Amino acid sequence: ATACPLCVKELFQMNEAARHYRGQPIEFLAISINDPQEGRLHKFFEMQNIRFLKPYRSPSLEKPAIRGLPTTFIIDSKGKKVGKLEGPV
């Protein structure tokens, strides 16, 4: 959520973690559930120099699963959700 200050702060932290773990078997995605314009998220990443995160827009993500922003999910290599943290990391 580009309008959420805590989310933006976390984007920078996740970008740094993605840079640090680049080349290792871990992936970081920044998922937007409330931005109707696909290109706006990419432009925001470019303007903020967020280069190591992959922006992903998912209006179909189950919104009831997200009660607050930011929300972090941990997904294992089989695609199973193994953790969730609501609030800043």
Side-chain angles (χ1 to χ4, degrees):
T2 58
C4 164
L6 291 175
C7 299
V8 172
K9 181 179 178 182
E10 191 161 291
L11 283 174
F12 290 114
Q13 294 168 337
M14 287 180 59
N15 185 63
E16 182 57 28
R19 183 199 63 77
H20 179 77
Y21 289 105
R22 186 175 46 185
Q24 296 188 34
I26 187 169
E27 195 167 349
F28 295 84
L29 296 175
I31 301 173
S32 175
I33 62 168
N34 61 353
D35 191 341
Q37 297 177 0
E38 182 84 33
R40 193 162 75 176
L41 189 59
H42 290 279
K43 185 175 182 177
F44 177 81
F45 272 47
E46 185 178 305
M47 288 174 50
Q48 297 297 323
N49 199 29
I50 298 173
R51 300 178 310 171
F52 300 101
L53 279 180
K54 295 180 181 182
Y56 181 78
R57 187 175 150 270
S58 177
S60 64
L61 189 67
E62 293 181 36
K63 290 184 182 181
I66 299 175
R67 295 184 303 200
L69 296 175
T71 297
T72 301
F73 294 98
I74 301 170
I75 312 295
D76 70 13
S77 61
K78 295 180 176 106
K80 180 181 175 189
K81 182 174 77 171
V82 295
K84 176 179 173 182
L85 175 68
E86 294 177 346
V89 173

